[in-house]
């Protein structure tokens, strides 16, 4: 039986383009769309979001710039593949406890951070700081963006040049994201507290300070898993 897709939700006008891009990002993750899957048409998305097609088009440009989607003229909008060529190995994690997933992600994230320090170019490290600084600008306005957060971590993992680590961490992060989106009374503002740590992480990577970088990624991950723990206890 085909899984019923979750629809897009209307958004408020403040920070409209960013909020629309976040809503489309959530749609991709919650519906488990894969690289190459097609998104609804601009007209359909505008109807679901209760906004104009021009606003949807601008939000799609943001997502395309962040590498989340690509547009094929005359064909539509599709989910991008952030890992390059397809791998012949597919891994599915089953019957894992929350503690086991946290331990796995911590191990993978530590290696990803160390790889980014060792393998990332100066330009990539500057781009990581630029994304974190953009997140801080929104933070000062009490706005959190899933799109920017995704861009930050995607840039970090690409710097490490290990697509296996990238894919495994993304599967864990996506699971955590979907569970939080499904939680009652969920509010994106709960993630605001992690934004300064993203900037600290980017600066530590740029400066080659592995101890500070690992401390920052631990803070980010521990907070995220604490939210998931709280959600599980409420259930």
């Amino acid at each position: 039986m085909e899984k019923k897709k979750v629809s897009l939700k209307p958004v408020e006008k403040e920070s409209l383009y960013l909020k629309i891009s976040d809503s489309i990002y959530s749609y991709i993750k919650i519906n488990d769309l894969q690289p190459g899957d097609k998104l609804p048409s601009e007209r359909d998305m505008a109807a679901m979001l209760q906004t104009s097609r021009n606003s949807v088009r601008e939000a799609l440009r943001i997502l395309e710039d962040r590498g989340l989607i690509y547009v094929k003229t005359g064909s539509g909008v599709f989910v991008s593949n952030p890992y390059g060529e397809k791998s012949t190995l597919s891994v599915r994690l089953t019957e894992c406890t929350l503690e086991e997933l946290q331990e796995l992600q911590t191990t993978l994230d530590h290696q990803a951070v160390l790889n980014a320090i060792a393998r990332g170019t100066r330009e990539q490290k500057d781009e990581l700081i630029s994304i974190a600084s953009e997140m801080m600008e929104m933070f000062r306005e009490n706005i959190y963006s899933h799109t920017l957060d995704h861009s930050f971590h995607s840039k970090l993992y690409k710097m490490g040049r290990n697509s296996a680590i990238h894919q495994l961490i993304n599967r864990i992060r996506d699971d955590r994201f979907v569970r939080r989106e499904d939680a009652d009374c969920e509010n994106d503002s709960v993630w605001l507290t992690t934004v300064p740590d993203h900037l600290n992480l980017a600066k530590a990577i740029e400066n080659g300070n592995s101890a500070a970088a690992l401390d920052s990624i631990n803070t980010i991950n521990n907070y995220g898993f604490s939210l998931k723990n709280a959600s599980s206890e409420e259930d």
Side-chain angles (χ1 to χ4, degrees), residues 86-155:
K86 292 183 179 179
S87 170
T88 58
L89 175 66
S90 178
V91 178
R92 181 180 178 87
L93 301 176
T94 60
E95 299 182 3
C96 298
T97 67
L98 188 61
E99 291 75 18
E100 289 170 338
L101 287 175
Q102 183 172 4
E103 183 176 338
L104 175 59
Q105 181 173 345
T106 298
T107 301
L108 293 170
D109 258 320
H110 280 193
Q111 190 60 53
V113 166
L114 295 176
N115 286 350
I117 291 174
R119 302 173 183 173
T121 65
R122 172 59 58 185
E123 182 181 4
Q124 288 175 320
K125 292 174 182 178
D126 288 343
E127 289 174 355
L128 193 66
I129 287 183
S130 177
I131 297 171
S133 298
E134 191 175 353
M135 292 173 70
M136 281 299 298
E137 290 178 12
M138 297 293 99
F139 172 82
R140 295 185 185 99
E141 298 178 24
N142 205 38
I143 298 173
Y144 167 82
S145 168
H146 285 301
T147 303
L148 292 180
D149 197 324
H150 172 89
S151 296
F152 178 92
H153 287 278
S154 181
K155 175 62 67 176

Side-chain angles (χ1 to χ4, degrees), residues 9 12 24 34 54 69 74 79 115 127-128 138 217 228:
K9 300 176 183 178
E12 300 173 1
I24 297 172
Q34 300 300 307
N54 285 338
I69 63 167
V79 179
N115 286 350
E127 289 174 355
L128 193 66
M138 297 293 99
I217 194 66
K228 194 169 178 182

